[in-house]
Amino acid sequence: MKKLIIINGPNLNLLGKREPNIYGSLSFTEFLDKIKDKYENVQLDYFQSNIEGELIDKLHEVGFTNDGIILNAAAYTHTSVGIGDAVKAIETPVVEVHISNTFNREEFRHQSFISPNAKGVILGFGLQSYELAIQSFLN
Ligand code: DQA
């Protein structure tokens, strides 16, 4: 059984309530329940934090044992050298995801410290971005 984890960064705990015009009205836990039912042959873990260092600690913790990491570092994507370095330091491949298409938004969202060290990047498909990332590890 493949062992995957979704790691979500700051403000993503508010999905469903936060700017629903951009991020949709489904909460992440509702989405996760559906996706876990659909991919029952995958061990799918979930971690969310609003704290940069906790995201780095989690990457270190799972980054040598998991089969894959699906990372939406949210705003830290655009600012965090530390999270970028952590993605480089670990062995488990990381797929970077974003709900919105960050390239049709403000210029500061076009920069990513994750992308250079990610296996791939999936963005702009709403919550389906996460599902596409899961599928990328199954193929
Ligand atoms: C986001 C895009 C980021 O620019 C933003 O800061 C987020 C969410 C996305 O999933 O579209 O919080 O990562």
Side-chain angles (χ1 to χ4, degrees):
M1 193 185 257
K2 285 256 165 97
K3 196 169 153 58
L4 305 181
I5 185 169
I6 295 174
I7 300 180
N8 270 347
N11 302 307
L12 293 174
N13 53 310
L14 294 182
L15 280 177
K17 294 188 195 130
R18 171 195 185 201
E19 300 180 87
N21 54 319
I22 299 176
Y23 298 113
S25 49
L26 202 64
S27 77
F28 201 78
T29 41
E30 285 169 326
F31 168 74
L32 200 60
D33 285 348
K34 283 190 193 173
I35 220 78
K36 277 185 170 171
D37 284 350
K38 190 163 171 185
Y39 295 92
E40 53 186 8
N41 55 339
V42 174
Q43 188 191 320
L44 187 61
D45 296 324
Y46 176 58
F47 178 77
Q48 190 277 331
S49 176
N50 296 319
I51 299 166
E52 187 174 10
E54 287 187 359
L55 295 166
I56 294 172
D57 282 345
K58 182 53 80 173
L59 287 166
H60 293 178
E61 184 191 318
V62 300
F64 296 89
T65 48
N66 259 60
D67 297 306
I69 297 170
I70 296 152
L71 175 63
N72 185 350
Y76 288 140
T77 305
H78 318 301
T79 62
S80 178
V81 174
I83 295 177
D85 280 355
V87 169
K88 193 169 189 182
I90 61 179
E91 285 171 1
T92 300
V94 172
V95 171
E96 174 184 350
V97 307
H98 299 285
I99 298 164
S100 62
N101 178 351
T102 48
F103 291 102
N104 67 16
R105 301 182 64 193
E106 302 94 322
E107 186 113 20
F108 67 84
R109 296 185 203 276
H110 301 182
Q111 153 96 337
S112 168
F113 285 101
I114 317 287
S115 303
N117 300 310
K119 183 181 179 200
V121 183
I122 299 170
L123 56 87
F125 294 95
L127 290 175
Q128 200 198 351
S129 296
Y130 291 94
E131 187 175 356
L132 294 170
I134 292 168
Q135 287 170 359
S136 78
F137 283 114
L138 303 183
N139 294 333

